[in-house]
């Protein structure tokens, strides 16, 4: 399967979910897509609808839980959810498909949305795996705006303290958050050096909207022993259409009919280019 092209089909599914629900965090949905595809569909994680009760299954937490629409699209493709049901009921009264991950849904390990909680909980999961002598790995995806939360830095310290080489944290480094550029709101200058100073293995991915680069980084993370890994996944907010790309105003924006049509055309064009490459 051409997973690179599939990522653009899943972006279209994500757009459909957002349009059906009348809102969503479209910019971060589009930037994180290759990371989710690598983990759930391209074979990186040992997790499936059939092994969710297996104590040795890999775990994933979407700490930047507001970007849940892309997560729903990927979980549906992986067989955890029914895509048409998600589209029909997303963000409707009484629906389990709410605007942040809900662990009452198949495949979701943790409710998230209050930023700064995902990494600390992931440290706990990874530490439990070490204590129970389990083989599973723990992956957590954070937003770069989320690093302003101090609980993350406590988790960096404890992750290194307990030598959690079964933990891989990934930051969606798209440089934008709801208030604007991260470097204007709370700068992350020298991020690689900062996290390395906590004794984490740090991998800098130049283009994390390139699936090959993401997969290579995840394999490097698996090979690291004695310390946890932090992947700086440099992405483009709103990746897939010039209408959205690198624009903070698209952090949480509902496209109008004209914008929606153009985005779908742009996504299809990029998909076809990858299929013909």
């Amino acid at each position: 399967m051409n997973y690179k092209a599939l990522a653009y089909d899943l972006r279209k599914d994500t757009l459909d979910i957002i349009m059906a629900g009348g809102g969503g965090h479209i910019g971060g949905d589009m930037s994180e897509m290759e990371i989710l595809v690598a983990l759930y569909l391209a074979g990186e994680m040992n997790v499936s609808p059939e092994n969710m009760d297996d104590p040795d299954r890999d775990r994933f937490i979407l700490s930047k839980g507001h970007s849940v629409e892309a997560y729903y699209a990927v979980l549906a493709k992986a067989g955890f959810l029914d895509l048409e049901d998600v589209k029909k009921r997303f963000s409707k009264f009484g629906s389990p498909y709410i605007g942040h991950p809900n662990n009452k849904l198949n495949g979701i390990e943790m409710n998230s949305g209050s930023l700064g909680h995902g990494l600390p909980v992931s440290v706990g999961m990874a530490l439990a795996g070490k204590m129970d002598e389990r083989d599973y790995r723990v992956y957590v995806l954070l937003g770069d705006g989320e690093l302003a939360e101090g609980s993350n830095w406590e988790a960096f310290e404890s992750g290194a303290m307990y030598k959690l080489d079964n933990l891989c944290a990934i930051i969606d480094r798209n440089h934008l958050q709801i208030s604007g550029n991260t470097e204007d709101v709370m700068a992350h200058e020298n991020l690689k050096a900062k996290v390395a100073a906590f004794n984490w293995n740090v991998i800098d991915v130049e283009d994390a909207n390139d699936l090959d680069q993401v997969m290579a980084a995840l394999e490097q993370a698996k090979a690291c022993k004695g310390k946890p890994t932090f992947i700086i996944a440099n992405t483009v907010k709103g990746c897939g259409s010039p209408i959205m790309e690198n624009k903070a105003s698209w952090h949480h924006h509902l496209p109008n009919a004209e914008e929606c049509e153009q985005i779908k055309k742009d996504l299809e064009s990029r998909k076809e280019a990858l299929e013909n490459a």
Side-chain angles (χ1 to χ4, degrees):
M1 180 177 289
N2 187 333
Y3 290 107
K4 292 183 178 183
L6 176 62
Y8 285 88
D9 274 338
L10 290 169
R11 284 182 168 93
K12 286 186 281 185
D13 290 341
T14 300
L15 179 60
D16 287 342
I17 292 169
I18 289 170
M19 297 303 290
H25 288 80
I26 191 168
D29 283 326
M30 300 302 178
S31 62
E32 73 185 9
M33 185 59 76
E34 278 73 18
I35 298 165
L36 295 176
V37 168
L39 292 171
Y40 277 95
L41 301 173
E44 180 60 28
M45 286 203 307
N46 172 31
V47 66
S48 70
E50 292 72 39
N51 76 348
M52 283 303 295
D53 293 327
D54 185 346
D56 286 320
R57 73 186 183 281
D58 289 340
R59 275 79 164 161
F60 172 78
I61 292 175
L62 182 65
S63 190
K64 48 170 286 185
H66 52 279
S67 295
V68 73
E69 297 84 17
Y71 192 24
Y72 287 152
V74 171
L75 285 174
K77 187 65 179 180
F80 291 95
L81 304 176
D82 180 84
L83 180 60
E84 294 309 313
D85 192 43
V86 177
K87 290 179 183 179
K88 180 180 178 181
R89 296 201 287 155
F90 174 61
S91 206
K92 301 295 193 297
F93 179 76
S95 171
Y97 308 114
I98 55 179
H100 293 87
N102 168 19
N103 67 2
K104 293 180 180 179
L105 291 171
N106 191 26
I108 295 180
E109 299 279 358
M110 172 190 164
N111 294 351
S112 61
S114 296
L115 298 178
H117 292 182
L119 184 57
V121 171
S122 298
V123 166
M125 286 181 170
L127 180 57
K130 290 288 187 181
M131 294 174 70
D132 292 342
E133 298 183 348
R134 295 293 182 184
D135 292 329
Y136 66 76
R137 291 180 60 75
V138 181
Y139 297 86
V140 56
L141 179 58
L142 304 97
D144 48 5
E146 184 178 3
L147 289 188
E149 304 285 346
S151 50
N152 287 307
W153 299 94
E154 295 178 46
F156 281 128
E157 191 166 69
S158 55
M161 169 72 182
Y162 294 108
K163 299 180 172 57
L164 300 179
D165 51 14
N166 58 341
L167 173 61
C168 179
I170 307 164
I171 183 171
D172 183 359
R173 186 73 170 114
N174 59 42
H175 292 266
L176 293 172
Q177 59 188 91
I178 193 168
S179 303
N181 190 291
T182 56
E183 306 316 288
D184 296 328
V185 178
M186 185 63 69
H188 299 326
E189 55 199 354
N190 300 321
L191 180 59
K192 184 174 183 178
K194 282 180 181 177
V195 179
F198 280 81
N199 200 29
W200 282 55
N201 172 43
V202 183
I203 301 170
D204 200 342
V205 180
E206 182 179 358
D207 179 6
N209 293 126
D210 178 342
L211 187 62
D212 290 339
Q213 293 187 39
V214 175
M215 294 295 293
L218 291 168
E219 288 306 305
Q220 289 179 50
K222 279 184 176 178
C224 178
K225 303 302 178 184
K227 61 174 68 175
T229 292
F230 182 70
I231 296 176
I232 302 173
N234 292 287
T235 64
V236 174
K237 189 108 170 181
C239 179
S241 171
I243 289 177
M244 304 181 290
E245 289 179 343
N246 287 316
K247 296 175 183 176
S249 59
W250 281 79
H251 176 85
H252 185 284
H253 177 81
L254 181 65
N256 60 35
E258 183 179 347
E259 289 170 331
C260 183
E261 182 179 358
Q262 185 59 52
I263 290 168
K264 286 192 172 184
K265 287 180 180 178
D266 293 338
L267 292 173
E268 183 62 26
S269 177
R270 294 198 187 183
K271 174 195 169 184
E272 290 177 356
L274 289 166
E275 288 177 329
N276 297 327

